[in-house]
Structure formats: C-alpha cells, structure tokens
Amino acid sequence: MKRFLFGVAGCALALGAMSAWADGQVNIICSVQMSWCQAVGAAFTKETGINVGIVQKSAGEAMAQIAAERANPKLDVYYTGTGDPHLQAAEMGLTEEYKSPQLSQLQDWAIKQAEASKYHTVGVYSGALGIAYNPDLLAKKKLPAPKCWADLANPIYHDEVQMANPNSSGTAYATLATFVQIFGEDKAFELLKGMHKNTNSYPRSGAGPVRSVARGETAIAVTFLHDGATEIAAGFPVKLVVPCEGTGYEVGSMSIVKGAKNLENAKKFYEFALTPAAQKIGGDLKNFQTPSNKTVPVPAGAPDLGTIKLINYDFAKYGSAAERKRILEKWDKEVYSIPRS
C-alpha cells in the first residue's frame, strides 16, 4: 500500500493530514499502478485546485477497506480496479448512486456497467485476461509455450506458474469466474487444483505475476494482457497468449463511496476521470487498457479486444457479494489449502 496527498503545488504529504484539508480535498483509493494514480491526482489538482489524497491497494483490498469503514468513511472515491468488486460494493450499499452526464460519450460496456449497478459505478477502461510467459526461461528449460488455459495444469510446468491470490486481487477473482464460465464449475476447480500444483507463488496484486515473468523469476503468469503489454513496452522478455478456449475480461470501474465526506469534490473528480484528457493519462504512461471514453484512441501496442475471443462474462452474477464469497471460500478450501508438492 502506498499513500500520497497532492497539494496545489504538487507536493506529497502524509495521508494523516487529510482532515485538515477537508474543504478543498478529495480522498481516493486507487487500484492501478501508483504512477497512474499520482498522475491523475496531479492533473485533477492542476485543473481544479482541489487537493487529492491517494491510497493505492489492489481491487479486493480496496473494497474490503471501504466495507470496514462504512460507519465512518475516510475515502470519497473508489477509482479503478476490476469491476466485480465495484458491483459487489454497490450491492452492499457501500457506494452512492450517481449518473454522470457524460455517459453518452462512453463505450457501451462502460454504460452497461453503470446500468447493471443502478448507476452506483461506471466503466473507466477494459481489458482481457490471458497468459504471459518468458520465452528465455522456457527455452532454457526446454518447455513449450502454453496455448490454452488447460495447459497451465500440465505437470511439465511444475513450479513455473504464478497467479495472484483471488482474495486480494481482482485479476485473480476474474480468473476464477472466467474458468467457471468456460469449463463449468467442476472442471474449472479441477483445472485450478492442477494449476495449484504448478504454482510457485500467489502474489497479492494482479500485476505481480507478470512482473515476475518479466524479471525472470517465474516462467508463466495469469494476467491481464494489458499488464503484459506494459512489461513488453519496458523492454522485458515477455510474450502474450490469448488462451485457445477464449477468455474473460474486466471493466475497470469507478464509484463514489457512500457517506463521502467530500461528496461534491468526489463528483468533480468522477467527472474529470471520464474526460478524454484524464483517460489519455494511462496510455501516456505506457498502460494499455482500452479507455471507456469513445474519443480517446486505444494506446498503440494495446491488445485489440475486437480480435480476442471474449466470453459473455456474467458481471451481474460474479459481481454479487454472495457469489464472490462462495467461490472464494471454495477456492480456499479445495485449492489453496492442498499441498503443492
């Protein structure tokens, strides 16, 4: 977790100072890379003069913090991260209803996210799940590149795979939901058990596994393809695979926290984050998600969602709090608890 507060001059102060700035403040929990969080916060401050306090956590951890603080919210905006936790937060009454006047400028999938939540959240970007691998490591170990999700359970990849922990990572939870939708629940959990025997680590953050691939610490990762594209753009030896069975995707989302103490400033940030200027920031920083504002070009080098076999991901079902709890408990009991050796 990282914390920053941007003043009008762009200085960074401790998050504990937030309360003293409350009249001109908005407090955000952010689930993309910290450089992106900081850049959006600084741009908003420059545009409005409003100070931005930022906490960075993975999507699942962000939702858990908002739930823990529901009686006395310290945050105003839940910015980015996979859409499932945003839908769960809406269902649990943790976020405010807010219908942006900019909705007509957004992609259909971003509008559907808003409609599904009864306007308690909105889509900011999208991206598809896939597999990343380090070709140098696989060549050294004389292993073939995986082509399908099912390949990740092949014993030849023992100790070569990483996937984030779905209890904290939105990426990994979306992976569980994707497997269940592609294979059916029984076969999906058999695949996950096989993968577990090949898994050397379950990082807390969804981007952690592909960073390990990039740095030669593991051969194969389950990741969002755009996170792999970021590592490729940085010059690391990473190759990407769209699994042969098809794949799920995310609608990275944004919500206003129920009971936000800086509600009007939260709405101003929400509107700013949907503008072309704000949505261009991610791509400028070598992030490769597909922006939700239709006027913003997809960053060069980003995975082309139009050419990927995407499943009809059931956001309503897998965005429900009860289904999330059930699947995570089953994964903890039937997969995570079993010996990997």
Side-chain angles (χ1 to χ4, degrees):
M1 181 184 70
K2 297 180 181 178
R3 299 176 174 182
F4 286 86
L5 179 71
F6 294 98
V8 177
C11 59
L13 302 176
L15 186 63
M18 286 180 179
S19 59
W21 300 53
D23 290 343
Q25 177 79 19
V26 62
N27 299 326
I28 297 167
I29 195 160
C30 178
S31 296
V32 287
Q33 290 86 346
M34 194 62 202
S35 59
W36 186 349
C37 303
Q38 290 174 300
V40 171
F44 178 69
T45 294
K46 184 177 180 181
E47 177 85 10
T48 65
I50 296 169
N51 301 294
V52 179
I54 295 176
V55 178
Q56 186 210 33
K57 288 188 176 181
S58 64
E61 291 174 321
M63 204 269 280
Q65 179 173 336
I66 291 167
E69 295 174 353
R70 69 184 305 164
N72 183 27
K74 297 178 175 63
L75 300 161
D76 304 307
V77 180
Y78 178 11
Y79 177 63
T80 66
T82 51
D84 294 325
H86 285 266
L87 292 171
Q88 292 150 20
E91 180 190 359
M92 294 167 67
L94 300 175
T95 52
E96 295 277 358
E97 179 181 347
Y98 179 69
K99 189 173 182 179
S100 170
Q102 297 185 79
L103 279 178
S104 63
Q105 299 175 34
L106 305 183
Q107 300 282 356
D108 288 345
W109 42 263
I111 297 171
K112 288 178 181 177
Q113 187 78 343
E115 292 171 345
S117 67
K118 297 182 173 60
Y119 302 100
H120 284 251
T121 193
V122 69
V124 178
Y125 58 74
S126 187
L129 282 166
I131 300 167
Y133 67 91
N134 185 310
D136 298 341
L137 278 182
L138 289 184
K140 182 178 179 180
K141 298 181 180 186
K142 298 181 180 181
L143 293 172
K147 296 181 180 179
C148 306
W149 288 124
D151 292 341
L152 301 185
N154 190 324
I156 65 171
Y157 296 124
H158 178 69
D159 210 33
E160 302 291 349
V161 178
Q162 279 192 22
M163 183 181 85
N165 189 313
N167 289 289
S168 58
S169 163
T171 304
Y173 175 75
T175 302
L176 300 190
T178 291
F179 284 10
V180 171
Q181 291 172 85
I182 290 175
F183 299 105
E185 189 163 319
D186 290 345
K187 289 184 179 179
F189 272 81
E190 287 305 309
L191 171 56
L192 289 163
K193 290 173 189 176
M195 282 177 57
H196 180 69
K197 294 178 181 179
N198 292 339
T199 298
N200 56 59
S201 178
Y202 289 101
R204 296 186 68 81
S205 165
V210 74
R211 290 173 184 158
S212 293
V213 164
R215 287 147 186 82
E217 297 165 0
T218 194
I220 299 169
V222 176
T223 186
F224 278 114
L225 296 173
H226 51 251
D227 288 332
T230 296
E231 302 302 326
I232 292 169
F236 290 103
V238 174
K239 298 288 186 182
L240 300 176
V241 176
V242 178
C244 68
E245 303 96 340
T247 192
Y249 65 102
E250 70 167 331
V251 176
S253 300
M254 174 173 57
S255 309
I256 296 174
V257 177
K258 185 77 171 178
K261 292 181 172 62
N262 302 294
L263 181 58
E264 292 308 310
N265 289 344
K267 291 177 181 179
K268 290 176 183 176
F269 179 85
Y270 192 104
E271 292 303 326
F272 174 77
L274 297 178
T275 63
Q279 294 214 343
K280 189 173 177 291
I281 289 171
D284 289 345
L285 294 173
K286 303 299 181 185
N287 296 285
F288 295 95
Q289 287 91 332
T290 297
S292 65
N293 191 301
K294 290 184 286 189
T295 67
V296 181
V298 177
D304 183 354
L305 298 184
T307 65
I308 295 173
K309 182 182 176 183
L310 298 174
I311 66 171
N312 185 21
Y313 194 104
D314 191 340
F315 289 99
K317 179 176 181 178
Y318 296 99
S320 74
E323 187 67 2
R324 173 186 169 84
K325 182 175 184 290
R326 186 187 72 82
I327 287 180
L328 290 177
E329 287 179 349
K330 183 170 183 175
W331 183 82
D332 284 338
K333 180 179 179 181
E334 298 186 11
V335 178
Y336 191 57
S337 64
I338 64 176
R340 290 207 293 265
S341 58

